[in-house]
């Protein structure tokens, strides 16, 4: 089977009086529309990993994630779509939630593991699948050079140039891929990375080791809202207003923090008048279901 999806990810202009006031234009690349389950950057990251698994004649994807992981769900759905078996090794004690329900619906087997053993993923893989010739290891979040390569293709799809690109960062693979795409096309666009973790300056190492050429980009580490999966009322109110004003769903774990950062930096006059800014909607809206009680 040919492992590919037809990419539908239009660039959409969004408007707000704030943008007019500061003379900037803002666009969203709608990677959230690529697939309802294999959402956004997760498809881009999986594409070459699945092709590699296929080349190596391995038909069982084994990957890792927390109980709310968009990557687990994307892998489950991609496995179902392209004829692989899938196992998800889940951090922490056995739980049930909407994300894991959707993983199971797509036929993924789940193995729960304590936080201590979760740290050593190659050891877990060897432990459960060491003798299994069909099993193919995919790191947490799809972090890999193959993942970055898939994400670099986002830049191939752009038909206009931008002064800035904004993207939320978990493992940094998507950021690195987009930066590599900018390098390949010799674009002068400034890349802006928004880590969703506390103390996000470590993200620089994660991104840099996947870059094909060293290049300057901006890392904005002050938009984590207390850490991964954390949110306060300011972020939640921003998301409510954004969704109601645009009809585009964002969520508090990734895209909400990234868009908040963009609006905040516009208000703080970070951008030259006349700037064109592209924000990447990296998908993940099922993550909203795990955050319902914060709304
Ligand atoms: C996983 C995810 C990210 C993080 O991507 P990385 O490549 O791990 O940095 C960003 N946005 C959304 C919506 C995600 O689900």
């Amino acid at each position: 089977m040919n492992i590919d999806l037809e990419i539908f990810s239009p660039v959409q202009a969004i408007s707000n009086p704030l943008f007019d006031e500061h003379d900037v234009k803002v666009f969203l690349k709608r990677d959230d529309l690529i697939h309802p389950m294999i959402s956004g950057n997760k498809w881009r990251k999986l594409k070459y990993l699945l092709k590699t698994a296929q080349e190596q004649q391995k038909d069982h994807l084994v990957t890792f994630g927390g109980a709310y992981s968009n990557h687990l769900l994307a892998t489950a759905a991609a496995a179902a779509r392209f004829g692989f078996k899938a196992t998800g090794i889940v951090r922490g004690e056995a739980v049930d939630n909407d994300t894991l329900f959707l993983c199971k619906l797509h036929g993924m087997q789940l193995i729960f593991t304590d936080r201590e053993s979760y740290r050593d993923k190659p050891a877990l893989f060897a432990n459960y699948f060491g003798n299994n010739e069909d099993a193919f290891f995919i790191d947490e979040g799809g972090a890999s050079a193959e993942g970055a390569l898939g994400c670099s293709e986002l830049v191939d799809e752009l038909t206009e140039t931008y002064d800035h690109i904004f993207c939320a960062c978990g493992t940094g693979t998507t950021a690195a891929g987009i930066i590599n795409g900018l390098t390949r096309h010799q674009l002068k666009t400034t890349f802006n990375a928004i880590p969703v973790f506390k103390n996000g300056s470590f993200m620089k190492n994660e991104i840099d080791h996947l870059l094909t050429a060293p290049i300057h980009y901006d890392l904005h580490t002050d938009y984590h809202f207390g850490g991964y999966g954390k949110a306060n009322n300011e972020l939640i109110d921003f998301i409510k207003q954004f969704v109601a004003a645009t009809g585009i769903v964002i969520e508090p774990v990734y895209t909400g923090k990234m868009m908040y950062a963009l609006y905040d930096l516009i208000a703080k006059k970070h951008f030259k008048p006349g700037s064109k800014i592209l924000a990447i909607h990296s998908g993940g809206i099922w993550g909203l279901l795990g955050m319902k009680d914060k709304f």
Side-chain angles (χ1 to χ4, degrees), residues 259-270:
M259 289 308 291
Y260 184 101
L262 173 55
Y263 279 55
D264 191 54
L265 289 165
I266 292 172
K268 289 178 174 157
K269 305 190 194 307
H270 179 78

Side-chain angles (χ1 to χ4, degrees), residues 23-234:
D23 189 21
V24 297
K25 291 206 158 39
V26 177
F27 302 85
L28 256 188
K29 176 121 172 90
R30 298 292 308 276
D31 268 14
D32 55 316
L33 301 179
I34 290 176
H35 188 280
M37 299 285 159
I38 318 173
S39 96
N41 65 341
K42 297 302 186 282
W43 165 247
R44 296 191 187 275
K45 291 200 278 184
L46 284 169
K47 178 176 160 185
Y48 288 103
L49 288 167
L50 267 56
K51 284 180 187 285
T52 303
Q54 189 183 51
E55 273 160 30
Q56 297 179 2
Q57 295 176 345
K58 295 183 188 280
D59 65 3
H60 184 176
L61 309 177
V62 178
T63 195
F64 305 83
Y68 293 94
S69 164
N70 295 329
H71 165 73
L72 279 184
L73 173 54
T75 305
R81 171 69 177 76
F82 296 109
F84 293 88
K85 277 190 297 201
T87 296
I89 300 185
V90 188
R91 182 183 59 231
E93 62 202 44
V95 287
D96 222 343
N97 65 32
D98 297 314
T99 301
L100 296 177
F101 161 73
L102 289 170
C103 289
K104 287 185 279 190
L105 179 68
H106 287 86
M108 182 179 250
Q109 300 285 332
L110 300 179
I111 299 172
F112 292 90
T113 187
D114 64 86
R115 280 153 204 275
E116 187 56 37
S117 39
Y118 186 82
R119 288 208 188 108
D120 191 347
K121 295 172 190 73
L124 275 173
F125 181 81
N127 187 16
Y128 285 106
F129 299 101
N131 300 321
N132 185 332
E133 304 240 305
D134 301 328
F136 184 78
F137 176 95
I138 298 179
D139 207 347
E140 182 175 43
S144 57
E146 291 89 341
L149 177 63
C151 292
S152 75
E153 294 178 348
L154 182 152
V155 182
D156 303 341
E157 295 161 22
L158 302 179
T159 56
E160 289 185 40
T161 56
Y162 300 90
D163 300 297
H164 291 271
I165 291 186
F166 267 69
C167 185
C169 298
T171 66
T173 306
T174 305
I178 295 172
I179 295 169
N180 290 341
L182 293 171
T183 305
R184 192 164 67 226
H185 287 270
Q186 300 183 309
L187 292 169
K188 292 209 177 64
T189 309
T190 302
F191 186 84
N192 294 259
I194 314 296
V196 299
F197 296 94
K198 213 187 224 163
N199 306 319
S201 47
F202 77 92
M203 194 54 63
K204 183 154 171 47
N205 299 325
E206 304 298 307
I207 294 174
D208 286 356
H209 90 272
L210 289 169
L211 295 185
T212 51
I215 194 169
H216 173 79
Y217 56 92
D218 287 345
L219 194 61
H220 304 279
T221 55
D222 293 337
Y223 296 101
H224 56 75
F225 290 88
Y228 184 75
K230 300 262 163 56
N232 62 14
N233 290 338
E234 210 177 323

